[in-house]
Amino acid sequence: MGVDEKIKALEDEIRNTKRHKGTEHHIGLLLAKVARFKRERVDRAIKKSSISGGGFDIRKEGDATVVMVGFPSVGKSTLITKLTNAKSKIAAYEFTTLECIPGILEYGGASIQILDLPGIIAGAQVGKGRGKEILSVARKADLILILLEPLNPWQYDVITKELREVGIRLEGHPPRISVKKGIKGGIRIHSAVKLTRLTPQAIISVLNEYGFHNGDITFGDNYTTDDLIDALEANRVYSKALVVVNKVDLTGGIPPGFPTGAVGISADRGAGIEEVKKAIYEKLGFMKVYTKPRTGEIKWNEPMIMKTGSTIEAMCRKLPKAFLKDFKYALIWGKSAKFQGQRVGLDHVLQDGDVIFIVKR
Ligand SMILES: Nc1nc2c(ncn2[C@@H]2O[C@H](COP(=O)(O)OP(=O)(O)OP(=O)(O)O)[C@@H](O)[C@H]2O)c(=O)[nH]1
Ligand SMILES: [Mg+2]
């Protein structure tokens, strides 16, 4: 049996099993098995798309990467040519774009990489169209721009489902579940709140499936089996999302049925492009940090634009090579410093407005 059939058989069994306290641990086990097979399928697709290249092996560039995902002919290529300097073929037929086309959007001092891709269709995760390649590129995104058309609001659900299947969690955070492996004594379950959606048997059978037989597990909330699997699966990525509805010239605005916060545009008429740029920049979340020169004043009018949550290491990568190669330590002033002038290392996480002085060897 191939992986796809194995997944299908397990999912059929899950659907056909009556859910009650006595079957919870069995369902948990089946869900964990499904997760493992899906992970194998994604790993294989990632390997294939980067080995064979085939126009999908794009290097991340700039301060952040945005991946455009949408059905064929919704106007992805039209939009990237309005946002960046990229040249991507535009045509009235479906599957015009056949590979990954990169472009750079300069906005608010940040350099944002945008990737145009072929259209996605239902069944992408099992390999329909160039689905697997598209979804493995999407996993690299800091932000996924979901492009829709006004007459087909259902496309949104199909796209989010395909993304979910390959381990991409939109607008989410990793569940607050921590596991500490022990050597003996079985599994001890701790929780900050009462667990009403998970039985101890279900927790233990899922943990066993992931090779944990002894130790402590701590829940920060009333989580489900799926949350537990998300916490244990190494392949989950948490990406921001922006929904854009193109071709609103056809309807005179966004019709009902679209997610709130969607931005309406008409890419080929150039309407709403500034709003999309602004929304991308704000969703990604950037901060300004400053380097303190050896002599002279800090240049407050020349900030370095970094993604929120960046480390000193990420900052050094934007400076001449020697800063990373000969890095000894850094001194730091601002919100991220425990005390002003604190000495920190490469993994120190910066905050907006920080001032950094790097000491080289
Ligand atoms: N009415 C209208 N048509 C548009 C708009 N933007 C793009 N189009 C048209 O939609 C068609 C498809 O545009 P593309 O940019 O090639 O679409 P795509 O999503 O890149 O398509 P694939 O690469 O095949 O997935 C073209 O005929 C465009 O001219 C718009 O704002 N309004
Ligand atoms: Mg295209």
Side-chain angles (χ1 to χ4, degrees):
M1 235 197 307
V3 174
D4 292 339
E5 289 92 59
K6 282 185 195 153
I7 292 172
K8 201 183 160 293
L10 287 164
E11 285 179 338
D12 285 344
E13 190 179 343
I14 292 168
R15 250 189 307 273
N16 295 329
T17 306
K18 265 224 173 72
R19 275 179 184 256
H20 53 78
K21 282 249 174 317
T23 57
E24 271 243 14
H25 68 284
H26 183 60
I27 291 180
L29 190 72
L30 297 175
L31 286 170
K33 286 203 165 115
V34 169
R36 178 156 53 86
F37 287 129
K38 285 185 179 170
R39 182 201 332 128
E40 280 173 16
R41 191 161 68 184
V42 172
D43 287 349
R44 217 171 298 161
I46 290 172
K47 231 196 211 143
K48 215 175 108 201
S49 70
S50 51
I51 288 171
S52 64
F56 288 91
D57 189 14
I58 300 284
R59 212 160 53 93
K60 279 185 92 156
E61 257 178 59
D63 301 311
T65 299
V66 179
V67 173
M68 278 206 275
V69 180
F71 270 65
S73 273
V74 296
K76 299 178 294 299
S77 300
T78 311
L79 180 56
I80 199 178
T81 60
K82 301 281 162 146
L83 293 174
T84 74
N85 50 352
K87 299 209 176 2
S88 188
K89 190 176 168 193
I90 297 163
Y93 53 85
E94 305 198 323
F95 294 109
T96 304
T97 308
L98 295 172
E99 51 182 28
C100 182
I101 313 277
I104 295 280
L105 161 66
E106 303 285 350
Y107 191 89
S111 199
I112 303 168
Q113 182 182 43
I114 302 198
L115 302 179
D116 180 23
L117 284 166
I120 192 174
I121 49 175
Q125 25 100 17
V126 295
K128 298 252 176 75
R130 297 307 296 269
K132 286 188 181 172
E133 289 88 342
I134 295 168
L135 292 166
S136 70
V137 173
R139 286 175 55 85
K140 297 186 193 168
D142 297 295
L143 170 72
I144 295 184
L145 190 160
I146 299 177
L147 194 62
L148 303 170
E149 295 178 309
L151 299 175
N152 299 313
W154 54 268
Q155 291 177 347
Y156 177 74
D157 290 335
V158 175
I159 290 170
T160 49
K161 180 162 173 278
E162 297 293 325
L163 294 172
R164 219 190 138 70
E165 288 287 317
V166 297
I168 299 173
R169 301 287 175 266
L170 295 180
E171 297 293 0
H173 303 281
R176 285 174 293 120
I177 301 175
S178 68
V179 184
K180 229 173 56 216
K181 216 171 185 163
I183 316 165
K184 56 177 191 202
I187 286 163
R188 282 174 303 273
I189 301 167
H190 314 274
S191 181
V193 298
K194 193 169 156 43
L195 298 174
T196 60
R197 306 194 285 176
L198 268 169
T199 61
Q201 294 88 326
I203 295 168
I204 288 166
S205 68
V206 171
L207 284 174
N208 288 347
E209 181 64 19
Y210 279 89
F212 292 99
H213 299 278
N214 298 291
D216 291 89
I217 181 163
T218 308
F219 292 86
D221 208 340
N222 188 14
Y223 288 114
T224 63
T225 311
D226 285 326
D227 297 324
L228 174 58
I229 291 172
D230 274 355
L232 295 167
E233 270 296 332
N235 90 335
R236 301 292 186 251
V237 293
Y238 294 82
S239 172
K240 293 169 182 163
L242 173 67
V243 180
V244 177
V245 184
N246 187 29
K247 309 192 187 182
V248 292
D249 51 288
L250 301 175
T251 44
I254 302 179
F258 285 89
T260 47
V263 182
I265 64 165
S266 179
D268 69 352
R269 284 160 179 73
I273 302 301
E274 276 310 306
E275 281 92 320
V276 173
K277 288 183 181 175
K278 189 160 172 278
I280 289 174
Y281 183 85
E282 284 174 359
K283 273 270 175 183
L284 281 169
F286 289 99
M287 59 183 180
K288 294 188 172 103
V289 297
Y290 304 85
T291 50
K292 190 173 157 68
R294 193 171 281 279
T295 54
E297 295 290 303
I298 296 164
K299 293 190 183 120
W300 296 106
N301 57 347
E302 287 178 25
M304 282 179 74
I305 306 292
M306 307 282 309
K307 249 190 316 187
T308 304
S310 293
T311 58
I312 300 238
E313 179 172 348
M315 178 188 157
C316 287
R317 287 188 192 285
K318 297 186 77 172
L319 297 168
K321 269 211 173 77
F323 280 91
L324 191 59
K325 205 167 98 307
D326 301 329
F327 180 90
K328 198 163 159 203
Y329 61 88
L331 298 176
I332 183 144
W333 293 262
K335 276 189 248 165
S336 80
K338 275 204 202 100
F339 51 89
Q340 300 311 310
Q342 187 194 352
R343 184 172 162 159
V344 294
L346 282 174
D347 57 358
H348 180 80
V349 176
L350 295 167
Q351 285 195 36
D352 190 39
D354 280 355
V355 174
I356 301 106
F357 180 71
I358 293 172
V359 179
K360 286 188 281 186
R361 273 198 291 265

